[in-house]
Amino acid sequence: MNFKIEEYISSKRQLVDKRLEKIFQAGNKKQSKLKESIRYSLLASGKRLRPVLCLASCETFGGRTSQALPVACAIEMIHTYSLIHDDLPSMDNDNLRRGVPTNHKVFGESAAILAGDALLTDSFNLIIKEGIKKEISSDKICELIATLSNAAGSAGMVEGQAIDLEFGSKKNVSPDDLKKLHSLKTGALISASAVSGAVVAGAKKDEIKHLKKFSDSIGLAFQIKDDLIDDTGAGKTGKSGGSDKKNKKSTYLTVLGEEKSLKLIDNLTTKSNGYLDRIDRDTSILKELANYLGKRNR
Ligand code: GRG
């Protein structure tokens, strides 16, 4: 087979980038500061892994990319909001994101808060507006909104962030504590990305059940890898490397050590592939994506 996952990711990423640029077009008139700050963070060089996962999942379950693309863009908007807010002085207080100074460093703190607020709210509006245009059924639109709002809100990402802030520089964080924190903070949106693509495609309930287990595993593997990259990857990641160390945070690296963390990534990837084997479809793209995420270096 001549399939290359890097090329697949790159082609889907281009689709997402193009559509995001269209959604937040600069236009000829002078832009408002709000729009400028949204464009600044959203159109910076993110990897677009969550939208790619959404599109790959839609394709796996026989759906149309054109129908899933607005949902994929909405997911990237939610993710970008979380990054802008996470970098704020009252949260992680970071200076660099996606290879450029963080949003609040350029536009000020209040503008950064508003850019995040707008991205989150607009993401749901986009799913409804484009969903109607692309003739996605109202039931599916409601399921998409329920899936994503659940993953982003107090049952998911925001709760994960709250736990993270509560832990602060606490030393005796257990592997179970870390798992809970990251399943919410990082895993919930990754999982919702895969599930959303499947919902657009009209996947069956039991297929979504296995897909959810698959994506929960890759979400955790993604975070463990992120912890390892944060420690070593300054320059490659576009973030201020070593920010966990600076904030004295407990990470998989500090709690388990490098060898065990790498082993856990491998185990989770193998486990995720096993869940896909329970789905009676060609799931090779999702498997390739899972393997890629576990081995990435940025
Ligand atoms: C709700 C304020 C708020 C925060 C949510 C997701 C999150 C919590 C914070 C983001 C900070 C962070 C470093 C999380 C750990 C893993 C992660 C989500 C990394 C960033 O995702 P990538 O690597 O980034 O996909 P790009 O820039 O490529 O999109």
Side-chain angles (χ1 to χ4, degrees):
M1 193 172 67
N2 215 5
F3 176 82
K4 286 215 169 52
I5 191 65
E6 289 82 1
E7 286 171 13
Y8 180 86
I9 293 173
S10 165
S11 75
K12 299 295 179 212
R13 186 185 164 185
Q14 280 171 38
L15 278 182
V16 172
D17 282 346
K18 216 164 134 197
R19 181 58 71 92
L20 286 173
E21 170 65 51
K22 196 168 164 209
I23 296 167
F24 288 98
Q25 262 171 44
N28 298 326
K29 283 189 282 175
K30 186 174 167 4
Q31 296 181 84
S32 69
K33 184 174 172 185
L34 175 65
K35 196 159 165 196
E36 207 189 323
S37 67
I38 289 174
R39 282 177 54 85
Y40 176 81
S41 292
L42 185 66
L43 306 180
S45 61
K47 296 184 289 296
R48 315 301 192 209
L49 294 174
R50 293 157 192 79
V52 171
L53 182 59
C54 170
L55 296 178
S57 169
C58 179
E59 203 173 314
T60 299
F61 293 98
R64 296 211 307 266
T65 299
S66 59
Q67 283 195 323
L69 191 55
V71 181
C73 290
I75 292 168
E76 187 62 22
M77 288 158 65
I78 298 172
H79 170 56
T80 304
Y81 127 74
S82 80
L83 299 180
I84 296 173
H85 281 196
D86 185 65
D87 290 334
L88 288 169
S90 57
M91 304 246 184
D92 269 6
N93 195 17
D94 266 316
N95 297 326
L96 197 67
R97 172 72 68 183
R98 294 183 161 171
V100 291
T102 44
N103 195 296
H104 66 272
K105 287 276 166 197
V106 178
F107 298 95
E109 203 173 331
S110 50
I113 293 171
L114 292 175
D117 291 344
L119 278 166
L120 177 64
T121 314
D122 288 356
S123 70
F124 296 116
N125 185 263
L126 180 70
I127 293 176
I128 295 169
K129 230 173 43 195
E130 288 298 309
I132 293 168
K133 256 198 233 162
K134 301 242 176 296
E135 296 180 348
I136 298 182
S137 72
S138 324
D139 281 0
K140 281 187 186 171
I141 294 176
C142 289
E143 202 174 336
L144 289 167
I145 301 288
T147 301
L148 288 168
S149 57
N150 195 55
S154 62
M157 191 169 72
V158 174
E159 174 67 1
Q161 179 76 346
I163 297 175
D164 196 12
L165 293 174
E166 210 179 290
F167 281 175
S169 51
K170 192 173 142 194
K171 284 228 160 40
N172 54 343
V173 174
S174 69
D176 278 352
D177 286 341
L178 266 191
K179 187 175 172 193
K180 182 177 174 204
L181 154 62
H182 292 304
S183 303
L184 293 168
K185 180 175 157 179
T186 311
L189 190 61
I190 290 182
S191 183
S193 304
V195 170
S196 302
V199 168
V200 172
K204 293 187 236 122
K205 278 214 157 54
D206 69 313
E207 291 178 318
I208 292 184
K209 192 179 85 192
H210 298 312
L211 181 74
K212 205 176 163 327
K213 289 196 169 154
F214 154 80
S215 49
D216 285 344
S217 293
I218 62 165
L220 198 53
F222 179 88
Q223 178 60 51
I224 302 170
K225 192 74 193 180
D226 197 74
D227 282 357
L228 296 178
I229 294 172
D230 181 81
D231 188 63
T232 55
K236 272 186 268 171
T237 59
K239 301 185 259 186
S240 323
S243 102
D244 293 334
K245 221 184 251 168
K246 181 192 85 186
N247 293 327
K248 296 195 175 64
K249 278 196 176 175
S250 292
T251 66
Y252 276 95
L253 191 63
T254 63
V255 173
L256 292 184
E258 187 176 359
E259 202 184 327
K260 276 195 184 152
S261 297
L262 287 169
K263 184 109 196 75
L264 187 54
I265 294 174
D266 271 354
N267 290 346
L268 285 163
T269 308
T270 309
K271 209 163 125 189
S272 73
N273 278 241
Y275 291 123
L276 291 180
D277 286 335
R278 297 178 196 177
I279 298 172
D280 192 16
R281 305 225 187 208
D282 177 1
T283 55
S284 52
I285 295 176
L286 292 176
K287 281 186 181 160
E288 293 268 358
L289 256 182
N291 298 341
Y292 170 86
L293 290 181
K295 298 209 168 5
R296 75 198 169 96
N297 58 13
R298 68 175 281 257

